[in-house]
């Protein structure tokens, strides 16, 4: 009789386990899965390369970085090539009207190459941003540092361009492309500016 | 005897549950996991920033956006800085040979700054695209809207550059960088053009 | 008595299954879940668009691609518009000082448009990279191919710009924007250069 009972119990057990798993476990696993996927850590990371050193194109990496940091995201900006100019202690960013027919006030190239036109375009653009209460590049840069944005200078292009660590502001890091890539490989938002 | 039997049953139960879980549950959980990961919603989202306003660089954001939409992806393009020119009702996009030694027909800068060279380069490029049956910027823009691509004008740079809502085409949205970032943080394909 | 025992056993089974699942299964599922999420295949893919054809901007896509490949990532670079110049058998990449106030040695535009200035700036930049032992564009390109980086030429812009397959190096592919997008939609690192 004990033997008979064991057989029955074994079948019972198998059936009951199967029922329980179907009723409870799969739902819980599915819910936990969706929860973990929704927590997608890549959605909270931003990795930007800033490669340009004109006044106009200094705004986008700093505006995106400071906005993302304000949204609670972990942000790194990697400054390379002309973008290193944005990290200089003494900023001398300019904008050039020559060759950019999309400037707000385009001038013919034959005029825009004349001495003084670069300085005039730069002053005009600075004025336009100031008038609309957009922080300056110095201010945006500080806002980024204050918000915990990692500002990283590209070691290789620093060397190639003869830029020394002491030419750049405090609070930044110096690293290579591999450092950017390991950060970017964990981030949904990646951009080369 | 009942007690003895209960003991046996308890051990039986634990062993059978363990076997069942190993045989069935882990495989099912693994399969479901791989299925959900493969459904990765970020693979179906594209978020692009269009920052340039030359004729040549107006093509890439619109070609990527319309192609992605045709592939069934959810696409948003955020137009900022010179990229706002692409959303103007009256398009006046030009391409400039000056300072771009990679142009198909490069001319020395001393020639390319002469009056008329910008217009000539623009006509040449328009002709090259038309000849190869590439839709015009106006057509690509409309294809994007028809395919459900969200075209978003950057509010801050609209103000800074003195571009009014009525200067831009219908069917678009106006928003800030935070709006782009929340979209991009859910997308694998992100690009700053 | 057998009936009584079966009842007891059924309750026992249900309780024991629940206990077992809570003690063992959920932990194992959670661990496996975290393991699979950490294996995120998008973290091991890089998809880059190279759209520029100047000497300076030929470095970033090739440096990022070869570095990522050395880190074990699967990398594709899609060359479009002026970027096609980087794939030419006979490279004639130049850098232009005109209109770039962020050049290491900026010169006034009125000087930089003079004949010979483009060649001088190009020689200067080549020298700067060589001095710091950065491989040349030809070398970087070969390093990419050797490391299994997929180099893809954009079919549409090849046609528009009159570039023939035989103008480009061996070992590359020719494809359209949809091909880039399907690769990029599986990659965390995406960049338009």
């Amino acid at each position: 009789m004990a033997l008979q009972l064991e057989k029955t119990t074994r079948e019972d057990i198998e059936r009951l386990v199967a029922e329980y798993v179907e009723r409870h476990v799969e739902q819980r696993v599915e819910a936990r899965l969706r929860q973990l996927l929704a927590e997608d850590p890549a959605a909270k990371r931003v990795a930007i390369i800033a490669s340009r050193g004109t006044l106009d194109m200094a705004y986008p990496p700093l505006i995106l970085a400071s906005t993302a940091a304000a949204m609670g995201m972990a942000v790194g900006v990697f400054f390379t090539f002309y973008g290193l100019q944005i990290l200089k202690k003494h900023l001398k960013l300019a904008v050039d009207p020559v060759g950019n027919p999309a400037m707000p006030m385009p001038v013919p190239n034959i005029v825009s190459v004349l001495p003084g036109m670069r300085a005039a375009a730069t002053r005009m653009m600075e004025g336009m941003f100031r008038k609309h209460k957009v922080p300056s590049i110095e201010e945006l840069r500080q806002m980024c540092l204050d918000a915990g944005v990692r500002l990283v200078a590209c070691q290789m292009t620093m060397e190639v361009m003869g830029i020394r660590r002491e030419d750049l502001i405090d609070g930044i890091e110096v690293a290579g492309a591999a450092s950017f890539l390991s950060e970017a490989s964990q981030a949904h938002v990646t951009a080369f500016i």
Side-chain angles (χ1 to χ4, degrees), chain A:
Chain A
M1 179 185 152
L3 204 70
Q4 171 62 24
L5 194 80
E6 269 184 25
K7 270 190 193 164
T8 309
T9 308
R10 175 182 295 266
E11 283 157 16
D12 259 7
I13 291 170
E14 293 221 332
R15 188 172 40 76
L16 283 170
V17 169
E19 278 174 26
Y20 183 88
V21 164
E22 266 173 38
R23 269 203 322 273
H24 300 290
V25 181
E26 300 208 334
Q27 274 180 32
R28 276 147 80 172
V29 165
E30 182 83 16
R32 185 68 188 121
L33 250 167
R34 295 204 172 275
Q35 194 182 16
L36 275 176
L37 282 175
E39 280 169 16
D40 184 4
K44 299 195 181 61
R45 283 194 171 277
V46 175
I48 294 170
I49 293 184
S51 75
R52 293 158 80 180
T54 50
L55 175 64
D56 44 0
M57 285 303 115
Y59 283 102
L62 298 177
I63 288 175
L64 284 174
S66 53
T67 307
M71 291 166 78
M73 300 165 98
V75 189
V77 188
F78 184 75
F79 296 82
T80 188
F81 281 83
Y82 312 117
L84 288 166
Q85 301 294 334
I86 304 172
L87 292 184
K88 286 223 169 145
K89 275 181 192 154
H90 305 289
L91 284 179
K92 278 185 288 187
L93 302 174
V95 69
D96 210 306
V98 74
N100 185 358
M103 283 284 287
M105 285 185 196
V107 282
N109 285 324
I110 196 76
V111 173
S112 64
V113 296
L114 292 179
M117 287 305 290
R118 181 182 287 175
T122 301
R123 277 196 306 273
M124 185 188 79
M125 181 157 285
E126 282 173 342
M128 284 160 64
F129 278 97
R130 198 165 40 234
K131 188 182 151 195
H132 290 278
K133 308 211 185 312
V134 181
S136 70
I137 297 301
E138 280 93 339
E139 288 165 339
L140 282 168
R141 202 168 65 171
Q142 193 55 50
M143 284 164 65
C144 283
L145 284 173
D146 293 347
V149 173
R150 291 177 53 212
L151 304 183
V152 185
C154 168
Q155 188 163 27
M156 187 200 82
T157 48
M158 275 178 71
E159 287 171 13
V160 168
M161 296 192 163
I163 296 173
R164 295 161 305 169
R165 179 62 190 83
E166 56 264 37
D167 299 330
L168 306 180
I169 55 169
D170 292 334
I172 64 164
E173 301 164 46
V174 177
S179 155
F180 166 77
L181 283 165
S182 28
E183 232 179 300
S185 68
Q186 308 296 326
H188 276 315
V189 184
T190 54
F192 185 98
I193 299 181

